[in-house]
Amino acid sequence: IVQTAVDSTRAIGGRVTGPDGRVVEVGDPDAGADRIDLPLQAGGTSFGSLVLYGSEFSVLDLESASLLVGHAVIALENARLHHIVEQQALVDALTGLANRRAAEQRLAIELARASRFGSPLSIVFADLDHFKRVNDTFGHPAGDLVLRELAAVLASTVRGIDLAARWGGEEFCLILPGTDLTGAARLAERVRTALAERTILTTEGMPLHVTASFGVAGRPPSASAEELIAS
């Protein structure tokens, strides 16, 4: 954006400052006596600002810069919306964890990597015990709260290279690259204990104590996603 704006207005330099404070400069900003300030904004969304510096800008230069910014903002907004749609397609809306589609994609990638380098790979499945009873007794809002609590325990337990995902319903999974069965079993036990010791309060203030059952599988010996999940 800044390079095209500098070229189209014969500016000496230009600077884009993003909403996060990141700065991108082209040419020699601050060298010119004249400047054009244009916000990069689409509706209520700000992408920062563009400042062009030159000896003397004409009305035509201002019009060219404004037209360029208009097109740039449309492109930035389209990219932002596309990113949101991509994220929504791979994230479980209730828990914020990866969804099953994302988990299946990641598992395929990690299996290929583990096969290539001969490294271990484990997965852990967690299933909330008597989850239907929670919904029937306390209502679906309480059930949603329980799901989010288990998701929080999983997310706080895994490493940065691991993936915690909601597989579906009350079933969750962990994908653990570089972790053998023994390590995965230890992690599953930590999660199981942390959840069992947790007191969950419903919106009415009723305390809930829930537990989950865990299954662990790994490669080797299982070689495919189907074998891992089935085991």
Side-chain angles (χ1 to χ4, degrees):
I1 293 171
V2 64
Q3 181 66 64
T4 304
V6 166
D7 292 342
S8 65
T9 59
R10 298 170 293 108
I12 298 173
R15 176 184 296 122
V16 165
T17 303
D20 57 355
R22 181 187 176 201
V23 176
V24 177
E25 295 182 342
V26 170
D28 188 11
D30 305 321
D34 200 3
R35 58 184 284 170
I36 297 174
D37 292 81
L38 294 168
L40 300 170
Q41 189 163 347
T45 303
S46 174
F47 298 100
S49 61
L50 168 67
V51 183
L52 298 171
Y53 300 86
S55 300
E56 183 178 2
F57 291 114
S58 65
V59 174
L60 183 60
D61 290 332
L62 177 59
E63 291 177 350
S64 296
S66 299
L67 182 62
L68 170 67
V69 164
H71 290 301
V73 165
I74 292 173
L76 288 169
E77 177 65 1
N78 287 339
R80 184 184 74 86
L81 294 175
H82 180 69
H83 177 71
I84 291 174
V85 170
E86 282 189 326
Q87 287 296 107
Q88 289 175 340
L90 298 174
V91 174
D92 176 62
L94 178 64
T95 64
L97 298 182
N99 61 18
R100 179 166 178 167
R101 175 184 174 190
E104 289 176 337
Q105 291 177 357
R106 177 67 176 276
L107 182 56
I109 292 171
E110 296 300 342
L111 274 170
R113 181 180 289 118
S115 178
R116 178 180 179 185
F117 295 104
S119 56
L121 170 68
S122 295
I123 62 171
V124 175
F125 273 88
D127 198 335
L128 282 162
D129 300 325
H130 312 297
F131 183 67
K132 183 177 184 301
R133 186 184 302 169
V134 173
N135 282 329
D136 292 343
T137 305
F138 300 98
H140 288 282
D144 290 347
L145 183 59
V146 168
L147 292 171
R148 286 195 291 267
E149 287 290 331
L150 176 53
V153 173
L154 293 173
S156 66
T157 303
V158 297
R159 306 164 299 173
I161 64 171
D162 302 329
L163 180 73
R166 184 181 181 192
W167 193 256
E170 66 269 28
E171 194 173 25
F172 293 76
C173 80
L174 300 174
I175 299 174
L176 310 172
T179 301
D180 60 18
L181 280 173
T182 301
R186 284 197 298 263
L187 185 145
E189 178 60 20
R190 289 201 303 271
V191 175
R192 188 197 67 78
T193 302
L195 181 66
E197 294 175 347
R198 210 172 180 110
T199 299
I200 304 170
L201 295 177
T202 68
T203 53
E204 292 78 20
M206 294 290 293
L208 286 175
H209 292 277
V210 296
T211 58
S213 299
F214 293 79
V216 181
R219 180 205 175 278
S222 299
S224 68
E226 293 76 12
E227 290 174 347
L228 277 172
I229 295 168
S231 59

